Amino acid sequence: MSNIQIFIGSPRKKGNTSYLVQKFINSLSGKLQAEINFLYDLNIQPCTDCRNCKKGNLVCTVQDEMQGLYEKIDQSDVLIFATPIYWFGPSAQMKLLIDRLRPYYGNKRLKGKKAALILPAGTGEADCDLTIEMFKRTFNALEIEYLGAVTSKAYDIGDAEKDHKALNEIQQLVARINAINETN
């Protein structure tokens, strides 16, 4: 394993979500390559339930910047979904990405991949339960192995830097991914 794709669903490039992602990247083994994708920089259209992904090659036919993300997802070993919590759920841009994973339900190309979550929220872990459950169910349907969630009590910019529990969880997540990489 060597390729990690990180999807940031925050509009703030220097906010709590990005801070936690940078801590994650800085702790990775040198053998692992991580790439950040800022979803707010991309034109991702919503799924229109056209069902083209259920026919032929089992791919999405919507032509937008999600096509480039599909290539990155296909080549990745680990997917990290990092999003602030908005009203107990992921940001709108993150939800667009999740909805557009629909082709993978049919083509099974995510089977065996690993995924984890990084979720800053105003009151912390208590606000993350619905989002964690949504992702767990998505991962289960797509046959992705769930590696866990890092949650942070972070509302104002800079709050995540003071959240020692979240920073410890980042280290635990990195240790799991490094261990998986060493056994493969």
Side-chain angles (χ1 to χ4, degrees):
M1 170 180 44
S2 61
N3 186 344
I4 301 170
Q5 288 296 317
I6 302 170
F7 304 99
I8 296 182
S10 174
R12 296 180 179 160
K13 288 189 177 177
K14 295 187 178 182
N16 292 306
T17 308
S18 292
Y19 175 81
L20 293 169
V21 165
Q22 276 307 149
K23 284 294 190 187
F24 170 81
I25 290 171
N26 293 343
S27 300
L28 288 171
S29 156
K31 299 173 190 170
L32 300 171
Q33 300 293 318
E35 180 181 2
I36 294 174
N37 301 277
F38 285 99
L39 300 180
Y40 275 83
D41 288 348
L42 302 172
N43 175 19
I44 301 174
Q45 297 299 308
C47 176
T48 60
D49 195 27
C50 69
R51 303 194 182 184
N52 287 334
C53 64
K54 296 182 178 281
K55 305 180 242 179
N57 294 332
L58 303 174
V59 297
C60 181
T61 58
V62 176
Q63 294 301 307
D64 61 6
E65 291 181 280
M66 189 66 195
Q67 296 302 321
L69 290 183
Y70 286 134
E71 289 179 33
K72 292 178 180 186
I73 290 168
D74 288 347
Q75 296 169 7
S76 70
D77 301 298
V78 176
L79 305 169
I80 305 292
F81 298 91
T83 181
I85 301 299
Y86 291 174
W87 287 105
F88 313 103
S91 69
Q93 289 302 110
M94 182 62 72
K95 185 63 169 81
L96 285 173
L97 172 72
I98 295 303
D99 288 350
R100 295 288 299 282
L101 295 179
R102 191 171 181 180
Y104 293 111
Y105 186 77
N107 67 31
K108 303 290 185 199
R109 291 199 311 247
L110 294 182
K111 183 177 182 175
K113 291 190 187 286
K114 318 276 189 256
L117 307 172
I118 297 176
L119 307 171
T123 62
E125 188 174 358
D127 283 350
C128 300
D129 60 341
L130 297 175
T131 300
I132 291 170
E133 184 62 27
M134 180 201 77
F135 274 102
K136 281 181 171 180
R137 289 182 184 202
T138 300
F139 297 156
N140 187 52
L142 298 173
E143 301 180 61
I144 297 170
E145 181 184 338
Y146 175 60
L147 297 177
V150 172
T151 61
S152 177
K153 183 175 182 179
Y155 180 75
D156 291 320
I157 292 175
D159 284 351
E161 296 174 39
K162 301 173 224 154
D163 187 344
H164 299 291
K165 177 182 169 285
L167 297 174
N168 185 48
E169 289 175 359
I170 290 279
Q171 295 306 313
Q172 292 172 17
L173 176 60
V174 167
R176 282 193 297 279
I177 292 171
N178 284 335
I180 292 166
N181 184 54
E182 289 173 13
T183 61
N184 289 338

